[in-house]
Amino acid sequence: YQRRVRGLRRWGMESLLGPRLLRGGKAVPTSEALGACSQVVALYFSAKWCPPCRGFTPRLAEWYTADLHDKGLEIVLVSADRSEDAFQEYYSQQPWLALPHSEAEANKRLSKKFSVEGIPCLVLLDATTGALITTDGRTVLSNDPTGEQMPWLPPTKQQARAMALEALGDVLVDAAGESWGLTRLTTKPFIGLFFSASWCPPCRVITPKLLEAYENGLGDKMEIVFISSDGDQQAFDCYFRDMPWLAVPFDRSDDKANLTALYKVKGIPHLVVLDNQFNVVTLEGITMLAQDTTGETLPGGWQPQAFTIVNDDPTAVNENICVFAMGDDHDGLREVAHEFLERAGGEVGRMPYRFYGAPAGAVTTRIRCLAACESDPHLLVILDIKDGFFYHAGADLSVGAVKEALRLFEAEELEPQALRGKPH
């Protein structure tokens, strides 16, 4: 949550949305339009031609006018309509703000920034800090249409643990149909929540690998719970019958949906690993399993690291603002990374940056190309792939220099330069 939205943090809402928004038929300055918004700004990606949008928009308008606007929510329509006439006809039915249809570049930039793959999509931002609250605002508002839980901040570690326990419930089942309590999960040090389905080709590839790992050492350390996305009981039963672990019963669709939302599962297969106190170890269990099939390095080797060598694990580079110590001198950056981790309460996901050492290697070569520093043996680089910019912050890699570079970056005093190519 502490990671602020790029663009919003650096250049303000006007850079994110443009200088003017529409309020009804009138263009007003963005700062004025959003000036009264006290809690949450919602970007509503929608279109007249989209049937699900036409179904959701009246419900959203009802919630907005009855409760949400008065409690501090403002909505901005980001239209995917193809013509000005279609946009105007659709927007005329809506009580909130809109990005002008003519702002095609801003529209495209917003869709890219928030990885909008389908509509309707509702992205929620903290109105005060610019922090991204969630890209699944549609589910959030559907579950809380009166805004009782506004501003819908991500759960704390303790809240997430309680939510997991509630969603897993009192009864799990095995392939023979026998019921088990949650106490079975706590007999091993770790718990794996395996989100999968029989209809999913990648799942059918991963499931035998997970089974093999489970039978060859991983199962001594980790109990697994299958969370199915199958469409009917028969498909669930046929897929689950060869699994030696437990499952959330098929008919508990609400609990499965709550677990999916809690751990932000956007695709399957997906493996979330918890300790036996139901605290998150990693949300990237599939990736970590490929590196450690027996779980020998659990928990530390599976947890997100405050500081990483980018050639070893570049998985977070595309989605985060990253700070690189180019070359072999990483001590200063490593120390600053651990200070940020401490401030974030030990949770890497709450850090505003990811920190990487970048010695010679294939990924480093690509980073150097993107950030135009092929010939600099030692350089501090800040890279924001999602926004398309990099920043050179000097060759001094000491603790003090890194902190000063980040201060300048946050004060908008470093010069942004456009990336030289697209990441692979």
Side-chain angles (χ1 to χ4, degrees):
Y1 172 73
Q2 294 297 327
R3 184 179 66 224
R4 295 187 177 188
V5 175
R6 308 161 183 87
L8 183 63
R9 178 179 57 76
R10 286 207 298 276
W11 302 301
M13 190 68 84
E14 291 185 6
S15 176
L16 190 70
L17 300 175
R20 292 183 178 276
L21 296 173
L22 298 178
R23 181 185 286 135
K26 181 181 178 182
V28 295
T30 298
S31 57
E32 177 185 326
L34 296 174
C37 178
S38 61
Q39 294 216 59
V40 178
V41 175
L43 305 183
Y44 182 39
F45 296 84
S46 185
K48 177 178 179 292
W49 53 260
C50 166
C53 297
R54 295 198 302 271
F56 181 67
T57 299
R59 295 166 58 208
L60 182 60
E62 180 182 347
W63 303 336
Y64 176 85
T65 54
D67 294 287
L68 297 179
H69 183 253
D70 288 343
K71 290 182 177 178
L73 174 78
E74 187 53 85
I75 298 175
V76 180
L77 171 66
V78 184
S79 172
D81 280 306
R82 300 178 179 91
S83 71
E84 179 74 29
D85 287 345
F87 163 75
Q88 292 291 352
E89 181 181 350
Y90 188 46
Y91 179 48
S92 67
Q93 307 164 19
Q94 301 175 28
W96 42 69
L97 303 169
L99 184 73
H101 187 265
S102 59
E103 295 288 344
E105 286 303 314
N107 190 315
K108 185 185 300 183
R109 185 173 64 251
L110 290 168
S111 296
K112 178 182 177 182
K113 181 184 294 294
F114 298 111
S115 302
V116 176
E117 297 178 353
I119 54 175
C121 175
L122 200 63
V123 174
L124 305 184
L125 309 177
D126 186 289
T128 302
T129 67
L132 174 64
I133 297 171
T134 181
T135 57
D136 191 18
R138 183 182 175 189
T139 298
V140 170
L141 267 63
S142 295
N143 291 336
D144 183 24
T146 62
E148 295 301 314
Q149 299 175 19
M150 191 185 297
W152 306 295
L153 301 180
T156 65
K157 186 176 181 179
Q158 292 75 20
Q159 290 170 335
R161 179 180 180 275
M163 293 165 69
L165 285 166
E166 181 178 358
L168 285 167
D170 297 327
V171 178
L172 302 172
V173 295
D174 63 20
E178 186 174 351
S179 297
W180 296 83
L182 284 185
T183 52
R184 174 168 161 178
L185 299 184
T186 61
T187 61
K188 298 178 183 179
F190 303 101
I191 301 162
L193 305 182
F194 182 44
F195 298 81
S196 186
S198 61
W199 52 259
C200 163
C203 297
R204 295 199 300 269
V205 172
I206 289 296
T207 300
K209 295 181 179 180
L210 181 59
L211 177 59
E212 181 181 1
Y214 186 84
E215 293 177 339
N216 289 293
L218 184 66
D220 296 335
K221 306 175 182 69
M222 184 186 299
E223 189 54 78
I224 293 175
V225 180
F226 172 43
I227 300 164
S228 173
S229 295
D230 282 305
D232 58 66
Q233 183 75 50
Q234 183 179 2
F236 169 85
D237 291 340
C238 289
Y239 190 40
F240 183 44
R241 66 188 176 191
D242 295 323
M243 298 181 187
W245 44 70
L246 303 177
V248 174
F250 176 78
D251 59 2
R252 284 170 43 197
S253 56
D254 288 347
D255 289 331
K256 291 185 290 185
N258 289 338
L259 288 167
T260 298
L262 176 61
Y263 297 115
K264 298 181 174 62
V265 178
K266 296 185 177 180
I268 55 174
H270 196 93
L271 181 65
V272 173
V273 179
L274 313 176
D275 63 25
N276 61 8
Q277 299 300 308
F278 299 90
N279 301 305
V280 173
V281 174
T282 180
L283 301 179
E284 304 295 336
I286 298 294
T287 299
M288 301 314 302
L289 182 69
Q291 302 173 23
D292 178 16
T293 58
T294 65
E296 181 179 353
T297 63
L298 279 164
W302 287 48
Q303 291 172 326
Q305 302 297 308
F307 174 89
T308 309
I309 298 300
V310 71
N311 300 304
D312 295 340
D313 182 11
T315 53
V317 169
N318 284 350
E319 297 297 323
N320 295 274
I321 301 175
C322 300
V323 186
F324 294 88
M326 310 304 296
D328 298 317
D329 180 5
H330 311 143
D331 291 345
L333 190 64
R334 188 192 308 272
E335 183 173 331
V336 172
H338 284 284
E339 288 184 14
F340 271 87
L341 181 63
E342 185 176 350
R343 290 182 213 164
E347 297 184 49
V348 171
R350 293 178 179 266
M351 292 169 57
Y353 313 104
R354 292 294 183 91
F355 296 87
Y356 289 97
V363 179
T364 293
T365 297
R366 181 60 182 152
I367 297 298
R368 285 186 176 277
C369 179
L370 286 172
C373 58
E374 293 95 329
S375 60
D376 297 283
H378 298 97
L379 185 67
L380 188 67
V381 173
I382 300 173
L383 188 67
D384 189 349
I385 285 178
K386 247 194 165 179
D387 233 17
F389 293 98
F390 68 86
Y391 305 77
H392 288 177
D396 187 347
L397 302 177
S398 66
V399 171
V402 172
K403 290 181 178 180
E404 176 62 12
L406 291 174
R407 186 193 69 79
L408 293 172
F409 175 72
E410 292 172 1
E412 307 172 21
E413 294 179 17
L414 290 182
E415 183 67 28
Q417 301 179 65
L419 296 179
R420 298 203 310 185
K422 299 292 183 183
H424 295 307

